[in-house]
Amino acid sequence: MLPSIILAIAEQRSLSAVLATIIGAVARQPDVALARLWLRGADQECPHCSRGVQNSSDSLHLRASAGTSQVTGADWSRTDGSFHRFPMDSGVSKISHIAASGESVRIHRLSEDQNWVRNQDWVRIEHLAGFAGHPIVFRGEVLGVLAVFCRAEPDEACWEWLRVLADSAAVAIANARAFEQVDSLRRELEMERDYLRQEVQEIGLFGEILGRSAALKYLLQQVEIVAGTDASVLILGESGSGKELIARAIHQRSPRAHKPLVKVNCASIPRELFESEFFGHVRGSFTGAFRDRVGRFQLADGGTLFLDEVGEILVELQSKLLRVLQEGEFERVGDERTLRSNVRVIAASNRDLRQAITDGRFRLDLFYRLGVFPMVVPPLRDRREDIPELAAHFVRQACVRFHLPEPRLIERELERARQYDWPGNVRELQNVIERGVIRANGGSLAFDLPIQQGAAVAASATPFDVVPEAEWRKRERANVLAALEKSSFRVSGKGGAAELLGISPGTLASRLKSLGINKRDYRP
């Protein structure tokens, strides 16, 4: 009987399955009224542990229970009652004593015991005779306690049977924890793999740096100069100007290209998770640290670490970053071992870091450490000649992503785009293009630009007085009717009114309705 139980336990891989198999086997034995198993360590569902009680990780928690009341028929499988948690104190209870001392406890007559039995009424009502408890020990470490309440005095055979099972349980529990840790590491590696795959995918989708402007050519020359070195690079530029693309270009042209480029968005890291995010942590190092975590410096070992929005790091945390940049050494949270990481750091910011230094919000020494080779990405308004090529690229990209027909880019709309200042830079251009592709539905693409900017452009080209709304709608109606007449009253298709106006047929249909233009108004 015992060998088959031990074999059944050994076949389990998860800790919960191991515990259920152990406690089920014990509870099925003759004269066993209640079987319970406590494990040492924190329990995230324990109310004491969730409140951060001191030394909660060095307590016993009831993890499995089985039995039935002989009087009421009540099920005793609950684990969240008053006996859920015991501190590791040999004087508190018999369970605590077993765990703290590593010694087994056997009580032949519970009704006569005055030291360990708390509830004599329960013992009397349920006709309980004896108790047996063994420590669960693996390689000299007490993992927990296996205990039974019996309706007959536990004899030597029962005592020895339970001891052998406790020893087997120790091995099974240790193995189950090892399996779960391996599974956790596997999932972590899969997450890191998926993260790196996503990075590769983003390189494929957005990694092309397009344009022939002088400003962009100069920037790419700087990339070629610095890429082959291990110098730290500080990329400055407005939001949406393509700083991450430049960082990728440097990494791809460097000797580290076969290793990962790991990105950290410094603006999104909460203060309390800064060290864990950058350097990692070990299991149990703080509340919620249920497993080891690999930090970004360790993940990027041999490769490149891209610190996006580095100016957002709180000044009191910048010294910790500076230390690892200077020495190449760090410790994971909760770990005494010093780890080394060989990374090339590329940082980026859309903030004026020199002003931040003056204001006391950025360390001067960190600025010089990061900015060995500073680069400035020009805003899109300083390379307007690149807009047509970028627009064509984003149109193709959006059509593939949204499974839509490719619209036409007409010169009038491209000229509007060249006149616009693009405060959101390339990211704004991409956003406008994607919205235009969706609205065009295969027709001509129109740039949906802010009305005040369009008005400002028009004003700079041809000054005019403010036009009242009624007059403006009258002029717009006349313009639409003129387009219909010029297109031989065709709304869509090549040379149609929609194309002449630079809008999609759907947009023109809506405009005709809003302007109150019916077919009889433009029927030849």
Side-chain angles (χ1 to χ4, degrees):
M1 182 66 175
L2 186 56
S4 62
I5 294 172
I6 294 174
L7 180 61
I9 295 170
E11 289 176 345
Q12 308 305 320
R13 290 293 180 266
S14 70
L15 182 59
S16 59
V18 167
L19 299 181
T21 304
I22 293 169
I23 216 68
V26 175
R28 287 192 297 270
Q29 299 308 304
D31 298 323
V32 172
L34 175 62
R36 284 185 161 176
L37 193 153
W38 288 263
L39 287 184
R40 185 178 181 179
D43 180 1
Q44 64 187 71
E45 297 180 359
C46 172
H48 293 275
C49 295
S50 63
R51 290 198 302 266
V53 174
Q54 189 174 9
N55 297 327
S56 62
S57 62
D58 202 23
S59 300
L60 292 164
H61 291 91
L62 183 60
R63 302 297 294 274
S65 179
T68 305
S69 171
Q70 194 177 52
V71 178
T72 64
D75 180 18
W76 287 339
S77 60
R78 287 182 56 186
T79 60
D80 57 351
S82 57
F83 296 96
H84 173 71
R85 178 180 179 273
F86 288 109
M88 293 286 289
D89 186 340
S90 61
V92 173
S93 69
K94 53 186 176 294
I95 304 302
S96 297
H97 175 79
I98 294 171
S101 65
E103 301 173 353
S104 301
V105 169
R106 178 164 53 162
I107 304 173
H108 290 282
R109 295 180 179 83
L110 287 169
S111 60
E112 299 176 4
D113 186 88
Q114 302 297 321
N115 296 322
W116 298 120
V117 179
R118 290 188 186 181
N119 193 339
Q120 283 290 352
D121 289 340
W122 177 65
V123 170
R124 176 178 51 79
I125 293 171
E126 292 292 341
H127 302 99
L128 301 179
F131 168 88
H134 287 287
I136 300 173
V137 182
F138 182 75
R139 294 181 178 175
E141 179 186 358
V142 176
L143 304 182
V145 173
L146 176 62
V148 296
F149 289 87
C150 304
R151 292 195 169 92
E153 294 183 17
D155 56 17
E156 285 298 325
C158 173
W159 177 254
E160 184 62 20
W161 184 89
L162 193 64
R163 184 193 64 77
V164 174
L165 187 61
D167 291 343
S168 300
V171 177
I173 289 169
N175 286 340
R177 283 176 167 172
F179 280 123
E180 289 186 348
Q181 186 173 17
V182 169
D183 189 57
S184 174
L185 291 173
R186 178 186 60 79
R187 289 195 301 270
E188 184 175 323
L189 288 173
E190 287 176 351
M191 289 174 61
E192 292 170 6
R193 178 203 63 194
D194 293 342
Y195 166 80
L196 294 175
R197 281 181 177 174
Q198 180 65 26
E199 293 290 294
V200 171
Q201 186 180 22
E202 289 180 3
I203 292 172
L205 288 174
F206 310 109
E208 298 179 58
I209 301 176
L210 302 175
R212 298 179 177 84
S213 63
L216 184 62
K217 286 180 180 179
Y218 175 76
L219 180 65
L220 294 181
Q221 288 173 1
Q222 300 297 100
V223 169
E224 294 293 345
I225 290 171
V226 76
T229 74
D230 261 352
S232 298
V233 179
L234 178 60
I235 305 173
L236 302 173
E238 295 178 6
S239 179
S241 58
K243 298 185 291 297
E244 184 174 348
L245 293 183
I246 298 301
R248 292 186 188 282
I250 294 172
H251 173 72
Q252 290 167 353
R253 290 163 174 77
S254 75
R256 298 173 178 265
H258 63 289
K259 292 290 186 176
L261 169 67
V262 177
K263 176 185 174 182
V264 183
N265 188 335
C266 301
S268 66
I269 302 175
R271 173 176 181 165
E272 61 273 12
L273 296 180
F274 175 86
E275 289 186 82
S276 175
E277 184 71 25
F278 275 91
F279 312 130
H281 65 251
V282 296
R283 179 171 173 264
S285 55
F286 54 85
T287 301
F290 300 119
R291 60 183 178 87
D292 289 357
R293 176 188 173 92
V294 176
R296 296 305 175 98
F297 270 94
Q298 191 172 352
L299 184 60
D301 189 27
T304 304
L305 185 64
F306 176 49
L307 305 178
D308 197 15
E309 303 303 341
V310 70
E312 302 300 323
I313 300 177
L314 295 175
V315 67
E316 58 265 31
L317 299 176
Q318 293 172 17
S319 59
K320 297 179 179 180
L321 177 60
L322 180 63
R323 180 201 166 213
V324 68
L325 293 179
Q326 290 176 331
E327 302 174 9
E329 296 181 345
F330 62 94
E331 292 85 31
R332 293 188 297 174
V333 178
D335 193 358
E336 296 180 354
R337 294 179 302 153
T338 297
L339 303 177
R340 293 194 61 82
S341 183
N342 174 21
V343 300
R344 194 245 186 102
V345 175
I346 300 177
S349 179
N350 61 3
R351 294 176 57 174
D352 184 347
L353 293 185
R354 291 193 178 276
Q355 184 60 48
I357 292 169
T358 302
D359 297 340
R361 291 181 285 108
F362 202 81
R363 293 176 61 112
L364 181 62
D365 47 4
L366 180 58
F367 176 80
Y368 286 125
R369 174 62 62 177
L370 293 172
V372 173
F373 194 91
M375 302 174 69
V376 178
V377 181
L380 188 55
R381 61 182 173 274
D382 288 349
R383 53 187 191 103
R384 299 177 191 270
E385 57 268 47
D386 293 337
I387 289 176
E389 187 175 354
L390 286 167
H393 170 72
F394 288 138
V395 165
R396 291 190 297 269
Q397 192 180 87
C399 291
V400 171
R401 187 182 308 169
F402 302 139
H403 307 289
L404 292 173
E406 187 170 328
R408 292 181 299 279
L409 277 169
I410 61 176
E411 182 58 33
R412 186 176 69 178
E413 288 298 307
L414 288 174
E415 182 58 30
R416 287 184 65 221
R418 280 190 287 262
Q419 293 296 328
Y420 181 57
D421 276 346
W422 299 104
N425 290 290
V426 179
R427 188 180 296 127
E428 183 184 5
L429 173 63
Q430 183 179 7
N431 180 273
V432 169
I433 290 288
E434 290 178 350
R435 186 163 60 249
V437 166
I438 295 171
R439 291 177 172 176
N441 195 27
S444 298
L445 187 142
F447 286 85
D448 182 18
L449 301 177
I451 196 166
Q452 65 271 20
Q453 183 66 28
V457 171
S460 64
T462 307
F464 58 85
D465 295 330
V466 174
V467 179
E469 177 65 19
E471 178 64 22
W472 181 262
R473 288 182 65 82
K474 181 179 178 181
R475 293 182 184 183
E476 185 179 16
R477 194 173 192 276
N479 187 53
V480 170
L481 288 170
L484 286 167
E485 184 175 0
K486 187 174 182 179
S487 63
S488 300
F489 305 96
R490 287 187 295 107
V491 172
S492 59
K494 187 171 180 61
E499 180 177 337
L500 293 176
L501 292 168
I503 58 179
S504 70
T507 301
L508 178 56
S510 299
R511 194 164 297 177
L512 290 172
K513 185 176 180 180
S514 67
L515 293 172
I517 300 176
N518 300 313
K519 285 186 177 181
R520 62 175 178 273
D521 296 316
Y522 59 87
R523 186 177 295 143

